[in-house]
Amino acid sequence: MKKFNFRKVLDGLTAASPVGSSGGGSGSGAGGSVHPGGTAGAAGTPREEIQETLTSDYFQICKTVRHGFPYLPTALAFDPVQKILAIGTRTGAIRILGRPGVDCYCQHESGAAVLQLQFLINEGALVSACADDALHLWNLRQKRPAILHSLKFNRERITYCHLPFQSKWLYVGTERGNTHIVNIESFILSGYVIMWNKAIELSTKTHPGPVVHLSDSPRDEGKLLIGYENGTIVFWDLRSKRADLRAYYDEAIHSVAWHHEGKQFMCSHSDGSLTLWNLKSPNRPFQTTIPHGKVQRDGKKPESCKPILKVEYKTCKNSEPFVVFSGGLSYDKPCRRPSLTIMHGKAITVLEMDHPIVDFLTLCETPYPNEFQEPYAVVVLLEKDLIVVDLTQTNFPIFENPYPIDIHESPVTCTEYFADCPPDLIPVLYSVGAKHKKQGYSNKEWPISGGAWNLGAQTYPEIIITGHADGSVKFWDASAITLQMLYKLKTSKVFEKQKVGEGKATAEIVEEDPFAVQMMYWCPESRIFCVAGVSAYVIVYRFSKHEVNTEIASLEVRLQSEVEDIITPEPETNPPFPDASSQLPSLKSLSGSTNTVACEGTMKDSIPCLSVKARPVRMPPGYQADLVIQLVWVDGEPPQQITSLAVNSAYGLVAFGNCNGLAVVDFMQKTVLLSMGTLDLYGSSDPYQRQPRSPRKSRQFAADNFCMRGLSNFYPDLTKRIRTSYQNHVNGHCTSPTSQSCSSGKRLSSADVSRANRRGPGRPPFRKAQSAACMEISLPVTTEENRENSFSRSRSSSVSSIDRDSKEAITALFFMESFARKNDSAVSSCLWVGTGLGMVIILSLNLPASDDLRHSEPVVVSPSGTVLTLKGAVLTFACLDCMGTLTHQPYEVWRDPHSADDGDKTRKRKLVMHSPSSSQDMGDHQFAVICSEKQAKVFSLPSQTCLYVHNITETSFLLRADVVTLCNSVCLACFCANGHIMTLSLPSLRPLLDMNYLPVTDMRIARTFCFTNEGQALYLSSPTEIQRLTYSQEMCDNLQDMLGDLFTPVETPEAQNRGFLKGLFGGSGQAFDREELFGEATAGKASRSLAQHIPGSGGIEGVRGAAGGVIGDLTRARIALDERGQKLGELDERTASMMASAEAFSKHAHEVMLKYKDKKWYQF
């Protein structure tokens, strides 16, 4: 039986009761239901019980797929037969890529950085070496790879690994200079060890350093080449356990590469040189070159260059060999970008990269090291990109990358996710986006083409939209758990370019990234798209398939809060808010920068932050700017950033708000309908007693230090402001943006309090521009008291009440056909406004009666007098009809604004006012769903009775809440700052799911988390990656069938016929018996203290993962057969051993019998 807290239940009942009184009459409350966790169905009962179909069995959370570029990459590997690529990262993650759609993410539990990756070529397995000196064997023959074995070294640090082709013995080099050998099948260390002091000459007095290279000779697999960091090279004979030859060079070695014949090898060194060695004369290299070194006139050795970190030496049958290396540039060109150099014969090509090179691999036609390699491409792993160079063409073009690895091309600042959107959108967006693709790519197919992928059962279209710091917006096709770029929109093109040095002298208020996208609103049905930027502007876009050349319409809006101009009177003793002008140093230090926007001569007024292009602008097909709305400076005060945004195509209106107030604009007539402070929206319905206060003493300081400082503190709404206390885990809980500031873990001086008071809850001290991907947790600290925002609390008792809340930000907006007033008998056009104090204000919209008058008659926006309350800042609204079905917002069916068939603008608009399911009869009442950062409420309209209330969290606060559809029903999905993901039924607000799943360790997660329909969600898991997850049990069950296969059965290519003479005189080139040499029988057992074997759970996880799909039984049977075969093999070995022992015993007994057969007893 579940226990629940009666105190929380009473709190919920108390919180619900004022709603009834404010609405003019509460419901009976007798029939309300009480739920565990502080849920109460309180003030009334619905007219008829709505049958809710969703239960907790419909919900389960699991991660689905990760998109984007692997964050902080460290290692690279390629399987030339399976044609799949693996990338390891500094965070212990591995990404395995194949053909488009085949993209797998797996993570080491330790989180240790991946040092090196090695494929077991065409075996469906991968070995990873990590910075915690552990080796792991991954099973890739299942859709979600798992670890089969681990081996943890205790006394030595791993520096390099090498696994020969078709070998089960892995060579492991260590920091001490020793080389160990690991059996890949059992992951047990062999007793065979190559000690550093045995490898080098006895006369050598210094340690050779760590092992930096290991490779077996292409000519003889019984010979191992060991490279040490100090320049020592040892050619070790594995059979005789001694060094065949030793070579020394006076520069440190970074890498070694063999010629395929096994007679020569090349080394790269720390002085930018390449040395070529011959096994017949190892005393010195027979060729030394510094490819990028300047040749001295007097014939001396060329100047040293930067280290060549890696070199690869690949031969071709019909042309000169390729030598590919990274680094080695001259020191006298410090500004040159990182480069990859390709030497082919006498031609040297330098490919400059945008980011530092982490690693590269040359892709060859054959996996056999003793054949002509025939290289055809080079995979280059950069710090923030992955490129593949085509070696088959003389100009070395790059391949067009099919993976979505450019998500972070400009840092992501916000995201939106739309599932089950209109099916015609993806082809349309792709067609306009394809016209802007870059040219000059290789015409060959993408070479990383391994694995298999199918669409699976999920067929509905999905679109992800990402906003970026440079003002660009990207639309992505996210259908069937893939991601593909559709269309890119550059919002900065509507503005004039900022001239160098101009911004701070005129009206620029953002140091960096003035065009950064802060919020987005998209109506897929009407294709209206709206963007709010960090520089306090809103752009409305319409979609057109035709190119136009036209001027951009713009409006300027004054949005000012009068409370800003008054402060609390200062008593003579112990003033709580001293005059700000006397605290200049502390104010500057709080802002994080001394670069201020001060008043120079005249006070700034009615100046926008950016300049819209005044000339006609060519707009290509796609999204075209219809209207730009900019907030302007008011009496020396900069405009505050936008905290809420909503657009409605049927009404032709866009609404946005900030901490000063609300603006409503008619984008059809290009007029401002409403620009009003939040307090004025209440009219006579203001529930708070706000006392008049004395005027500000030093008005001339109003603009100083109030400049906005970039992205590190801009938010889509106030609920996204996690404080420093979350990082410090005060009492183990998050601190809400509406909770007491003194618990934030950041002590404020009295001057700081005054500054924060004047700034208001929506005006943070802005720092240097950062993206959502790299936001700090140190966030704005406001001076609100611990306001639970319940209507019953007194607000006028002291300075610490509403007087300190100088501003009330607009945090949520929602256009809807609804009952604006209590006595309304029919629905009308409304705008629901939610504030940071938990207040909900309904505004009535009086639209022209006919569509013909829409462009000429004015739209009237007026307060309805209806005010509802919740705890905490309002996050989201939704509306259900009388049957409990989600009512969609009205919209205009899309039509091309520049269609050739539509010369005039008098064509009648086609409006859809209600959702199809409820278009027959809206009924005489509806349900309004309102969710704040603390609680959710369901009101019955027009009676305004609170039917259900659920206190979602007491100790934390919600970051995101969305009303979504799932399995033809509807629910409320919530993401809490304490990491919990919750779903509530609608309209009864029954808890269906509550799982502590995703700790908010970074502001990035809070900024980008969003839910969508069909049980899907996403967030930015790193600055470069999007993580998608599902909270639907059905999708969790079907996920196995939707994921791609990493391993597909492929025949290993046959080795070339070497010929009799080449085999006779060209070296053995044949395998030797490693089992006999490294096995326990010959080499003995390794020391137990050297390394610890840890069995993995790969087999079990593979069965569990496959159980959800069709092949579950087959997988279990296959693994059972493997285990049975292994046991039978062990049994055969034991039987053979017993038979040999019995035979030896029988033979010995027979010999004894023959010896003593003819002797008497006394002769013994």
Side-chain angles (χ1 to χ4, degrees), residues 799-1099:
V799 173
S800 62
S801 66
I802 196 64
D803 289 344
R804 193 181 293 185
D805 296 318
S806 61
K807 294 183 179 180
E808 184 176 0
I810 306 297
T811 58
L813 295 167
F814 186 67
F815 287 102
M816 194 63 237
E817 292 286 298
S818 182
F819 298 94
R821 299 171 184 83
K822 182 172 290 189
N823 298 322
D824 285 358
S825 58
V827 295
S828 60
S829 303
C830 300
L831 172 61
W832 291 61
V833 181
T835 76
L837 293 181
M839 310 305 296
V840 177
I841 306 162
I842 304 178
L843 302 181
S844 294
L845 307 174
N846 188 5
L847 299 165
S850 65
D851 188 58
D852 299 336
L853 302 174
R854 179 63 185 84
H855 287 277
S856 56
E857 292 291 322
V859 177
V860 179
V861 183
S862 58
S864 66
T866 299
V867 178
L868 309 174
T869 63
L870 289 87
K871 288 183 183 180
V874 179
L875 293 183
T876 191
F877 299 100
C879 193
L880 310 180
D881 64 17
C882 58
M883 302 302 294
T885 305
L886 184 65
T887 305
H888 295 288
Q889 296 186 51
Y891 63 89
E892 176 191 358
V893 177
W894 177 78
R895 61 189 178 111
D896 198 323
H898 306 297
S899 173
D901 304 332
D902 183 27
D904 56 348
K905 293 188 176 181
T906 59
R907 191 175 70 173
K908 192 173 180 66
R909 298 191 305 152
K910 184 179 179 182
L911 304 181
V912 178
M913 300 307 288
H914 310 300
S915 62
S917 60
S918 56
S919 59
Q920 311 294 335
D921 181 19
M922 282 293 290
D924 56 353
H925 72 281
Q926 60 182 192
F927 302 102
V929 181
I930 310 173
C931 185
S932 75
E933 64 180 10
K934 290 286 187 182
Q935 66 178 190
K937 286 186 178 182
V938 175
F939 293 89
S940 177
L941 301 178
S943 68
Q944 298 176 10
T945 304
C946 180
L947 298 178
Y948 304 97
V949 58
H950 180 80
N951 289 325
I952 296 171
T953 177
E954 297 290 341
T955 58
S956 186
F957 56 98
L958 293 187
L959 295 167
R960 180 83 183 209
D962 291 293
V963 175
V964 295
T965 57
L966 178 68
C967 300
N968 298 318
S969 191
V970 63
C971 66
L972 175 64
C974 308
F975 176 50
C976 195
N978 60 13
H980 284 248
I981 294 177
M982 296 162 279
T983 59
L984 305 173
S985 70
L986 290 177
S988 67
L989 297 177
R990 286 181 298 106
L992 299 173
L993 172 73
D994 187 349
M995 185 178 291
N996 187 1
Y997 191 73
L998 182 65
V1000 185
T1001 55
D1002 200 301
M1003 188 65 203
R1004 175 184 60 252
I1005 298 173
R1007 285 274 305 127
T1008 57
F1009 193 99
C1010 53
F1011 295 100
T1012 189
N1013 297 330
E1014 307 302 334
Q1016 298 209 66
L1018 66 79
Y1019 63 95
L1020 214 64
S1021 58
S1022 75
T1024 62
E1025 295 168 290
I1026 288 176
Q1027 176 67 58
R1028 291 164 68 179
L1029 54 92
T1030 180
Y1031 50 94
S1032 161
Q1033 179 68 60
E1034 182 184 6
M1035 188 167 181
C1036 287
D1037 293 340
N1038 296 331
L1039 183 60
Q1040 197 69 19
D1041 296 331
M1042 298 167 65
L1043 295 172
D1045 290 298
L1046 295 173
F1047 179 80
T1048 52
V1050 179
E1051 287 286 336
T1052 302
E1054 292 185 5
Q1056 293 179 5
N1057 187 3
R1058 293 175 57 83
F1060 173 75
L1061 291 176
K1062 197 164 188 179
L1064 186 62
F1065 300 108
S1068 63
Q1070 56 193 1
F1072 75 109
D1073 194 348
R1074 291 189 179 94
E1075 181 69 38
E1076 181 182 348
L1077 197 58
F1078 304 143
E1080 189 176 319
T1082 306
K1085 290 185 178 180
S1087 171
R1088 288 187 178 181
S1089 61
L1090 182 60
Q1092 176 189 1
H1093 176 255
I1094 305 167
S1097 56

Side-chain angles (χ1 to χ4, degrees), residues 25 52 121 194 252 255 270 299 317 329 369 470 500 523 581 587 605 654 746 910 950 983 1016 1041 1065 1084 1096 1129:
E52 295 178 358
I121 295 175
I194 305 172
S255 70
S270 56
K317 196 169 187 177
L329 293 180
D470 64 352
V500 178
C523 177
S581 62
L587 289 178
D605 190 60
V654 55
K746 189 172 183 180
K910 184 179 179 182
H950 180 80
T983 59
Q1016 298 209 66
D1041 296 331
F1065 300 108

Side-chain angles (χ1 to χ4, degrees), residues 492-518:
S492 60
K493 287 195 170 183
V494 304
F495 299 106
E496 297 286 358
K497 290 183 179 179
Q498 296 286 320
K499 294 181 181 178
V500 178
E502 177 192 78
K504 295 176 179 61
T506 56
E508 185 184 359
I509 59 169
V510 180
E511 285 182 349
E512 290 185 19
D513 302 315
F515 309 113
V517 177
Q518 184 176 356

Side-chain angles (χ1 to χ4, degrees), residues 12 62 171 195 282 421 496 605 620 689 905 1085 1093 1132 1161:
C62 68
Y171 301 112
M195 304 300 288
C421 48
E496 297 286 358
D605 190 60
Q689 301 173 23
K905 293 188 176 181
K1085 290 185 178 180
H1093 176 255
D1132 286 344
W1161 64 269

Side-chain angles (χ1 to χ4, degrees), residues 310-322:
K310 184 176 181 179
V311 64
E312 293 210 338
Y313 187 22
K314 302 297 181 183
T315 54
C316 302
K317 196 169 187 177
N318 299 318
S319 68
E320 295 288 330
F322 280 90

Side-chain angles (χ1 to χ4, degrees), residues 329-345:
L329 293 180
S330 175
Y331 280 108
D332 63 355
K333 295 182 180 178
C335 296
R336 285 190 67 173
R337 295 187 292 179
S339 67
L340 184 82
T341 304
I342 302 173
M343 299 171 63
H344 188 214

